[in-house]
Amino acid sequence: MEHGLLEKLAQTKRRLRIGECLYRTGEGFFFLYIIRSGFFKTTLIDKEGREQITGFHMSGEMMGIDGIATDIHACSAFALENSEVCLIPYQQLENTDQSSEAFQHFLRKALSHEITRDENMMMLLGTMRANERVAAFLLYLSQSYLARGFSRYEFYLRMSRAEIANYLGLKIETVSRILSSFQSMGCIETQQKHIVIHDLEKLKHLDSKNMTRSHPLS
Amino acid sequence: MEHGLLEKLAQTKRRLRIGECLYRTGEGFFFLYIIRSGFFKTTLIDKEGREQITGFHMSGEMMGIDGIATDIHACSAFALENSEVCLIPYQQLENTDQSSEAFQHFLRKALSHEITRDENMMMLLGTMRANERVAAFLLYLSQSYLARGFSRYEFYLRMSRAEIANYLGLKIETVSRILSSFQSMGCIETQQKHIVIHDLEKLKHLDSKNMTRSHPLS
DNA sequence: CGGTTTCTTGATTGGGATCAATAGGAGTGG
DNA sequence: CCACTCCTATTGATCCCAATCAAGAAACCG
C-alpha cells in the first residue's frame, strides 16, 4: 500500500498524550495522519454542543480525510491513549509528481473505505437493537485486534462506557447492563476495561439472529 | 467543477424508469454516474435481505463512488422517478492524462463530501429523536430543492413513507404520526406526497431543540 | 486516605414499535 | 362513469425496549 511514497513524505511524527487533540473541527486541513501507535476517537459536535463519536481508530489507519472536501476539518480527533502519528503534508501530495498514479489510487481507496465504514455504521444505527449493537461493537474490536496481530479473545477497551454508548447511539447504563447480561450468559467476561470473549459464536448470533435484526460493523 | 473533462468523458447517457436499478450491490464497478434529472435512492442489503437506505440523490449529484474501494459496488441504486444519468467510464478517468490534477481533486472532493454526508447521518441516527429526524429530513429536502432553483416551501416527496422511515431508522407509522403532528402544529401541510412548509423556523427549532426531554414539569 | 469520576444495578417512565383496523388514492376493467 | 382491487397512508390501542431517575460500588488519583 504505497509505502514508498508515504514514507518519503511522512517524515514528521507527532506524539500525543491521552486526551490530547490531534485536530479540531473548523481548523484548517493541512495533514493526513497515519496512526503509528495508539488509539483515537473522531467526533462531531452539533450546534447544541452534543457530541457524536463517528469512529474509533487504531494503528495503521489514516485520519484526517474528512478535511479534503472543504480544506477545513469536519470532525475532531482525540487520543484515547498515548499515541504517535505520522504527518503527511497534503499539499505536497497534491503536487508530487509520483503521486499522480499509485498514490491517487491509494487515497481513493482510503476514502471509499471510509464511506463503507460509515455506511455500515448507518446500518447499525438504523436497524439494530441495543444488544446487537454492543455485540457488533465487540466483534469489531475483536476483528481489529486480530488484524493487528493481537488476541481476538482478550483485549483492553481504550474508551469509556460513555464513549461506547455515544458511538452506538445508546446510554451508558444500557451499555453497562448489556455487558453484564453478556457476562451472565457466559459470552464474555468483563473487569472494567479488560474484556475476555469466551463465546465468539454466541456473540455473532446475537449480532445477526437475535430479534430478527442484524448487521455487523465494519 | 471540472465540466470540461467530465463532459468529454460523459458522452453516454442512460434513462431509467421509475423503479429501475442503476447498479446493484456486488456488481462490478465500471462507471461513475452524474444525475442529469430524476431522483434516486441508494441501499444496502444485509444477509437477511433487509434493506437500509443510505441516501437519496437528486440532479447534479454523483453516484457510484462506493465502488472505488473494491471495484465492486457496495450498494444498489434505484430510480424513484423516471431519470437520466451520465455515465463516466472510471477506467478512462484513471488513465486520462488530464485527469492527473484537476479531476483527481474533484473526485477527492466528491468522496470527502460523501463522508461528511454519512457522518451527518450518523449524528442524526445516533443522537436525534423521531420528531427531530423527520424535521431534519424535511429541512434537508427543502434545502436541496432550494439549491436547485425550486421552492423551498413546497415540493413533492419522491419516496414513500416506508422509504422515509427506513432512511431515518424509524417505522412507517411513526413517520406518519409525526407528519400529522407537524400538520396540527401548523408547521406543514401534507397531502400524500405533496408537502407545503408553513413554518420553516419552527421546523428548525424542532430539529435542534429536543422539546420533550428538557421539560421537567409544567 | 478522602474526594472524584466511572461503572454497575435497581425502579420507573416513556417514546417508538408493534398490532390492528380504517381510509384514501391509483389503477383496472366493466 | 362506477365498482372493484391493490397498495399506501393514517389513526388508535397496547406493549416493550431503552431512557431516565436514583443509589451504591468500584476504581482512580491527588
Side-chain angles (χ1 to χ4, degrees):
Chain A
M1 96 173 191
E2 266 318 287
H3 274 304
L5 176 63
L6 282 187
E7 289 302 327
K8 205 178 301 178
L9 287 169
Q11 290 176 350
T12 318
K13 288 181 189 168
R14 182 172 161 199
R15 289 179 177 281
L16 293 100
R17 306 213 153 198
I18 182 169
E20 255 189 288
C21 181
L22 179 58
Y23 55 85
R24 206 175 285 272
T25 303
E27 281 180 7
F29 162 65
F30 304 110
F31 299 99
L32 292 172
Y33 303 94
I34 293 187
I35 304 172
R36 236 331 107 153
S37 67
F39 206 97
F40 288 83
K41 70 172 177 182
T42 45
T43 66
L44 291 177
I45 308 282
D46 71 11
K47 308 149 208 158
E48 284 71 40
R50 285 187 285 192
E51 175 185 72
Q52 170 69 35
I53 295 174
T54 55
F56 295 108
H57 309 271
M58 48 204 298
S59 60
E61 286 185 56
M62 180 182 282
M63 289 197 303
I65 45 184
D66 57 277
I68 292 176
T70 58
D71 294 323
I72 301 283
H73 279 294
C75 62
S76 307
F78 295 92
L80 295 185
E81 60 180 8
N82 296 337
S83 304
E84 190 178 44
V85 298
C86 292
L87 279 61
I88 305 172
Y90 184 68
Q91 268 315 314
Q92 288 185 36
L93 267 189
E94 288 224 317
N95 301 333
T96 304
D97 286 348
Q98 303 116 316
S99 75
S100 52
E101 283 303 321
F103 180 79
Q104 298 297 351
H105 191 66
F106 163 73
L107 191 52
R108 254 175 272 134
K109 294 272 183 189
L111 283 159
S112 195
H113 180 263
E114 184 76 9
I115 290 172
T116 308
R117 179 192 173 103
D118 286 352
E119 287 184 343
N120 285 334
M121 200 60 203
M122 286 170 58
M123 176 83 94
L124 179 141
L125 292 169
T127 72
M128 290 171 80
R129 313 221 144 220
N131 51 2
E132 300 176 273
R133 295 183 196 192
V134 175
F137 180 69
L138 292 175
L139 291 170
Y140 151 72
L141 286 179
S142 169
Q143 180 58 38
S144 299
Y145 282 117
L146 177 64
R148 284 163 181 78
F150 301 108
S151 169
R152 66 192 302 182
Y153 297 115
E154 184 170 4
F155 45 83
Y156 281 87
L157 298 176
R158 259 61 180 193
M159 68 294 290
S160 69
R161 298 286 189 274
E163 286 164 332
I164 297 173
N166 178 298
Y167 182 56
L168 298 177
L170 301 172
K171 293 296 162 190
I172 181 173
E173 298 95 327
T174 304
V175 170
S176 187
R177 256 183 265 276
I178 288 171
L179 287 175
S180 297
S181 80
F182 285 176
Q183 181 152 20
S184 64
M185 289 165 58
C187 283
I188 66 170
E189 219 177 309
T190 68
Q191 172 83 23
Q192 294 290 116
K193 309 212 162 188
H194 181 229
I195 298 275
V196 182
I197 298 180
H198 288 309
D199 193 340
L200 208 69
E201 287 308 311
K202 202 183 276 185
L203 274 186
K204 282 182 186 166
H205 275 81
L206 260 183
D207 172 27
S208 64
K209 192 187 90 180
N210 200 33
M211 319 218 168
T212 69
R213 283 176 191 223
S214 78
H215 207 73
L217 181 64
S218 178
Chain B
M1 95 174 188
E2 265 322 285
H3 273 304
L5 176 63
L6 283 187
E7 289 302 326
K8 207 178 297 176
L9 288 169
Q11 290 175 350
T12 318
K13 289 181 188 168
R14 186 174 157 198
R15 288 178 177 283
L16 294 100
R17 306 210 153 201
I18 181 168
E20 256 190 288
C21 181
L22 179 58
Y23 57 84
R24 207 175 284 273
T25 302
E27 282 180 6
F29 161 66
F30 303 110
F31 299 99
L32 292 172
Y33 304 93
I34 293 188
I35 304 173
R36 227 349 94 167
S37 66
F39 207 98
F40 288 82
K41 68 172 177 184
T42 46
T43 67
L44 292 176
I45 307 283
D46 69 15
K47 303 154 206 155
E48 283 76 34
R50 267 161 313 107
E51 173 186 73
Q52 169 72 33
I53 295 175
T54 56
F56 294 107
H57 308 270
M58 48 204 299
S59 60
E61 286 185 55
M62 179 183 282
M63 288 197 303
I65 45 184
D66 57 277
I68 291 176
T70 58
D71 294 324
I72 300 284
H73 279 294
C75 63
S76 307
F78 295 91
L80 295 184
E81 61 180 6
N82 295 337
S83 304
E84 190 178 46
V85 298
C86 292
L87 279 62
I88 305 172
Y90 183 69
Q91 268 314 315
Q92 288 185 37
L93 267 189
E94 288 225 316
N95 300 335
T96 304
D97 285 349
Q98 303 117 316
S99 76
S100 51
E101 284 302 323
F103 179 79
Q104 298 296 351
H105 190 66
F106 163 73
L107 191 53
R108 255 176 271 133
K109 294 271 183 188
L111 283 159
S112 194
H113 181 263
E114 184 77 7
I115 291 173
T116 308
R117 179 192 173 103
D118 286 351
E119 288 184 343
N120 285 334
M121 200 60 202
M122 287 170 58
M123 172 84 90
L124 181 144
L125 292 169
T127 72
M128 291 172 95
R129 314 212 141 237
N131 51 3
E132 299 176 274
R133 296 184 196 192
V134 175
F137 180 69
L138 292 176
L139 290 170
Y140 151 73
L141 287 180
S142 169
Q143 180 58 39
S144 299
Y145 282 117
L146 177 65
R148 282 161 183 80
F150 300 108
S151 169
R152 68 193 300 184
Y153 297 116
E154 184 170 4
F155 45 83
Y156 282 87
L157 298 175
R158 260 62 180 191
M159 69 294 290
S160 70
R161 297 286 189 273
E163 285 164 332
I164 297 172
N166 179 299
Y167 181 57
L168 297 177
L170 301 171
K171 293 296 161 188
I172 181 172
E173 297 94 328
T174 303
V175 170
S176 189
R177 257 183 263 276
I178 288 172
L179 287 175
S180 297
S181 81
F182 285 176
Q183 182 152 20
S184 65
M185 289 165 58
C187 284
I188 65 169
E189 220 178 310
T190 68
Q191 171 86 24
Q192 295 289 118
K193 308 211 163 188
H194 181 228
I195 298 274
V196 181
I197 298 181
H198 284 131
D199 193 339
L200 208 69
E201 288 310 311
K202 202 182 276 183
L203 273 186
K204 281 182 186 166
H205 276 82
L206 262 183
D207 170 27
S208 60
K209 237 166 103 177
N210 23 17
M211 40 195 304
T212 44
R213 261 189 300 187
S214 46
H215 257 280
L217 262 178
S218 31

